[in-house]
Amino acid sequence: MAEGIVLVLNAGSSSVKFRIAEESGTALYEGAISGIGSKPAFKLKDGAGKTIPLDLAPERMDEHQDALDLLLGIAAEFLPGRQILAAGHRVVHGGLDFAAPVIADAAVLDRLDAFVPLAPLHQPHNLAAIRALARLRPDLPQVACFDTAFHIGQDRIARLFGLPRALIDEGVFRYGFHGLSYQAIAARMPAVMGPGADGKVIVAHLGNGCSMCAMDGRRSVATTMGFTALDGLVMGTRSGAIDPGVVLYLLEQKGYTPARIADLLYRESGLLGVSGLSNDMRDLLASDAPAAAEAVALFVHRILREIGSLMMVLGGLDALVFTAGIGENAAPVRARVIEGLGFLGARLDGAANAAGGPRLTAPDSRIAAFVIPTDEEAVIVSETLRLLS
Ligand code: AMP
């Protein structure tokens, strides 16, 4: 009998990103259905990344259930005879309750509803997709994999904000995100880095969203994202950490509504906001506009400042790992970060960096640096199958 397949789903407010994967995690097809609730569009690529033209965008797609129905149809058409074993979902928030993936039955979904106010842009849509798929395929096992779970072992002090205790007690503290990516990297580190993997390592996930995680013994001890995925580094369109007084200024002096401020901080800031040009690092590196150069300089500056902070939590630094779109591809950004650590004895190997690593530093470098590609979807597949076995 043909091997089974696993659906990996990442549902947003108006889109569902998906991978149809082998049991090994390898992608057979990947894509996205966007424009749910407005004008639907469907993107599909095969496992080699080749776009497959599709002529099936329906006129209307009112909700996630319609999108998932379409996706099940695609899976049946392109992979006849292959049974879908399970669906693994990226769920942004598991609070402190969920330290590991879990079968997303009705009782678990009710508990996960409690975290909707903590992640209103993602959590309700993640959960809506699980419920929609349960209506379409009640017998299909579904697993929720959390972006917060990797950080759950952090010390309480690493999590606290200096806020009144009543707010802390209701859960206003740092959770951290990108946990599925950090889990993927932590699993790959020994093969790339040898025994150094278990030392003091900072992993920089630099994609559209950006964060860093300080790991000791491949466990998270601190991270730059906090209560939301808005904190920390400058990102594609998100501001990263800002003085909270800026939010008060926007509210009180400029009359911004909360929705307008959310738009500004999540969608109009970061590389896009500072450059006024693009949220894409490729565009900024290719541009000779002074504002593009300033955006890149700020991006690197914030990374270096946060490395300083995370190093103090770790009590040293043995290695730095770059991952995600910018981390894996933008050699000039990596070079500037490693050169910024020169006073600590980091020595860039320029040729290795230009070639994409995996090792980016010279043999005598006191801090080693590496590129390790991330694969969050593969983690979701393996965790989903592990739970079901
Ligand atoms: P991700 O969220 O991991 O898919 O990363 C997406 C981002 O990676 C894009 O918005 C770009 O800023 C960046 N990126 C992708 N490829 C390159 C490249 N070759 N050089 C520089 N940046 C890149």
Side-chain angles (χ1 to χ4, degrees):
M1 209 178 101
E3 247 198 278
I5 52 177
V6 179
L7 288 184
V8 179
L9 299 169
N10 180 1
S13 58
S14 64
S15 70
V16 176
K17 293 189 192 134
F18 64 87
R19 176 183 289 187
I20 305 174
E22 301 274 18
E23 291 181 44
S24 64
T26 305
L28 291 163
Y29 295 99
E30 259 176 334
I33 304 171
S34 54
I36 298 170
S38 56
K39 196 175 169 335
F42 200 107
K43 264 195 242 157
L44 186 68
K45 291 182 175 176
D46 67 13
K50 190 165 155 273
T51 298
I52 299 174
L54 281 173
D55 188 21
L56 49 64
E59 278 292 290
R60 289 174 62 101
M61 194 185 288
D62 292 332
E63 46 187 44
H64 286 89
Q65 187 163 325
D66 304 322
L68 293 168
D69 202 19
L70 188 67
L71 179 59
L72 291 172
I74 294 280
E77 184 184 332
F78 281 79
L79 296 162
R82 303 285 297 266
Q83 187 200 348
I84 302 176
L85 301 173
H89 296 257
R90 180 176 185 166
V91 175
V92 70
H93 223 301
L96 292 189
D97 298 10
F98 293 96
V102 62
I103 305 241
D105 59 21
V108 163
L109 290 173
D110 287 347
R111 285 171 66 195
L112 292 174
D113 279 335
F115 308 124
V116 166
L118 302 186
L121 297 181
H122 298 102
Q123 189 84 347
H125 313 299
N126 300 156
L127 303 184
I130 301 176
R131 289 187 166 111
L133 191 53
R135 284 191 293 274
L136 291 168
R137 296 284 299 271
D139 299 331
L140 185 70
Q142 299 199 68
V143 171
C145 301
F146 303 103
D147 256 329
T148 45
F150 187 75
H151 304 294
I152 218 153
Q154 285 180 4
D155 269 2
R156 178 172 158 86
I157 292 297
R159 291 187 171 276
L160 295 187
F161 295 120
L163 286 170
R165 190 154 288 274
L167 279 173
I168 297 172
D169 290 346
E170 73 175 57
V172 182
F173 44 71
R174 311 178 69 88
Y175 292 91
F177 299 91
H178 284 144
L180 296 164
S181 174
Y182 292 127
Q183 188 179 339
I185 298 298
R188 288 175 175 195
M189 276 169 25
V192 179
M193 300 166 62
D198 287 312
K200 299 177 191 304
V201 179
I202 293 176
V203 179
H205 176 111
L206 309 176
N208 241 321
C210 299
S211 74
M212 293 194 292
C213 179
M215 295 186 198
D216 199 348
R218 291 193 284 142
R219 291 171 187 278
S220 170
V221 295
T223 185
T224 57
M225 279 181 171
F227 179 64
T228 65
L230 202 49
D231 200 5
L233 303 178
V234 167
M235 313 184 205
T237 62
R238 285 173 250 169
S239 61
I242 57 167
D243 178 346
V246 173
V247 176
L248 297 177
Y249 170 76
L250 297 174
L251 277 169
E252 291 168 355
Q253 304 302 321
K254 294 186 67 87
Y256 280 32
T257 62
R260 177 77 194 91
I261 294 176
D263 249 4
L264 180 117
L265 296 177
Y266 276 97
R267 287 185 264 277
E268 299 169 9
S269 296
L271 294 175
L272 174 66
V274 176
S275 71
L277 269 178
S278 171
N279 64 324
D280 193 315
M281 185 58 82
R282 281 167 289 204
D283 298 337
L284 301 184
L285 291 173
S287 166
D288 49 21
E294 193 167 88
V296 177
L298 176 64
F299 185 81
V300 171
H301 174 83
R302 291 287 303 122
I303 291 170
L304 287 169
R305 268 189 76 162
E306 291 290 333
I307 288 175
S309 159
L310 294 173
M311 274 180 69
M312 290 309 296
V313 179
L314 284 169
L317 182 62
D318 300 317
L320 184 61
V321 173
F322 293 92
T323 194
I326 297 172
E328 291 168 31
N329 298 297
V333 172
R334 293 193 303 251
R336 286 167 69 168
V337 171
I338 295 168
E339 282 162 2
L341 300 176
F343 76 104
L344 292 168
R347 298 282 170 264
L348 178 73
D349 177 338
N353 182 45
R359 195 184 162 106
L360 308 169
T361 41
D364 66 343
S365 184
R366 287 189 15 220
I367 296 170
F370 300 88
V371 172
I372 303 181
T374 192
D375 193 346
E376 293 152 288
E377 289 80 7
V379 169
I380 294 176
V381 171
S382 69
E383 291 287 321
T384 297
L385 293 174
R386 188 175 59 79
L387 254 187
L388 296 180
S389 66

